[in-house]
Amino acid sequence: AFKFVQEADHSIELQIVRGPQFNDSVADSICAGLAARLGAGTKVFLRYVDEIPPEKSGKYRYVISKLGAQALRGVDAEVSPARVEVIGS
């Protein structure tokens, strides 16, 4: 299971529940894919969690953006490598 959270500072936190097939190779592939697709020096943090709880409505949201419409104005469209950092064990 996973959940993307885009923070107000444009960074991305990817919350991952590791299953039995998850290993360092899978994590490296995820990081490489994100770095190739996200631009403007986006900071990406991988956080390993035990579970991803549902929202108050009982539904699961896989992508959450904390950016408002104002934050999207003036975003540099130039693509540059993303920085990926792993949080947790």
Side-chain angles (χ1 to χ4, degrees):
F2 67 92
K3 182 178 192 175
F4 283 95
V5 180
Q6 184 177 32
E7 301 291 344
D9 67 356
H10 296 270
S11 67
I12 306 268
E13 178 179 279
L14 174 56
Q15 300 173 4
I16 299 173
V17 176
R18 294 180 282 189
Q21 301 295 321
F22 194 91
N23 57 40
D24 288 342
S25 177
V26 173
D28 291 344
S29 294
I30 291 170
C31 291
L34 289 172
R37 288 168 181 81
L38 300 174
T42 303
K43 292 181 186 176
V44 178
F45 301 95
L46 272 70
R47 181 179 302 276
Y48 300 124
V49 296
D50 294 329
E51 67 177 350
I52 297 175
E55 300 295 313
K56 290 179 184 178
S57 66
K59 296 180 180 181
Y60 290 90
R61 291 177 55 196
Y62 298 101
V63 178
I64 294 175
S65 178
K66 295 181 181 177
L67 290 177
Q70 293 290 340
L72 294 175
R73 292 194 183 111
V75 172
D76 187 0
E78 180 180 329
V79 176
S80 62
R83 296 182 298 268
V84 179
E85 180 179 328
V86 176
I87 300 172
S89 56

